[in-house]
Amino acid sequence: MDILLGDVHSLKQKRSVVRPIIAEVQRRFPGVAVAETGHLDLHRRTEIGIAVVSATAANCGAVLDDCERLIAFHPEIELLSARHRLYNEDED
């Protein structure tokens, strides 16, 4: 997920916005892996990656949609884009 942060003027302020969002996703969805994965040197942008493992693609999609809604709900950020990518056991 590509995210634009609101009134953030330093990397320290960025961390104070991003860390609680990541912690909230982990708390609400304990089975997912979530981390800041991009735009690490920019103070007003971030990329958050979420990984889900499930027996069905439908369940993965549902969990990712729920995570996306949770993140987009935060008024201090703007979700610029979100992309889902599913892998199955036949892919490398």
Side-chain angles (χ1 to χ4, degrees):
M1 292 179 214
D2 191 12
I3 298 171
L4 178 64
L5 303 173
D7 190 29
V8 173
H9 302 289
S10 69
L11 293 176
K12 185 176 181 177
Q13 284 181 316
K14 175 184 179 176
R15 283 192 307 273
S16 72
V17 172
V18 174
R19 282 184 179 171
I21 292 171
I22 289 173
E24 183 178 4
V25 172
Q26 290 172 328
R27 190 172 45 256
R28 294 271 309 269
F29 304 98
V32 305
V34 58
E36 185 178 9
T37 57
H39 305 302
L40 300 175
D41 56 345
L42 300 175
H43 66 272
R44 290 208 57 225
R45 292 280 298 274
T46 191
E47 179 182 86
I48 294 178
I50 299 173
V52 179
V53 177
S54 179
T56 66
N59 186 52
C60 282
V63 171
L64 289 172
D65 287 341
D66 290 344
C67 291
E68 182 180 335
R69 275 191 292 278
L70 177 66
I71 290 172
F73 181 72
H74 288 267
E76 70 273 15
I77 66 158
E78 180 181 346
L79 182 59
L80 298 175
S81 67
R83 183 179 61 159
H84 293 195
R85 187 158 187 198
L86 297 175
Y87 294 96
N88 64 33
E89 62 189 33
D90 297 330
E91 293 183 35
D92 292 351

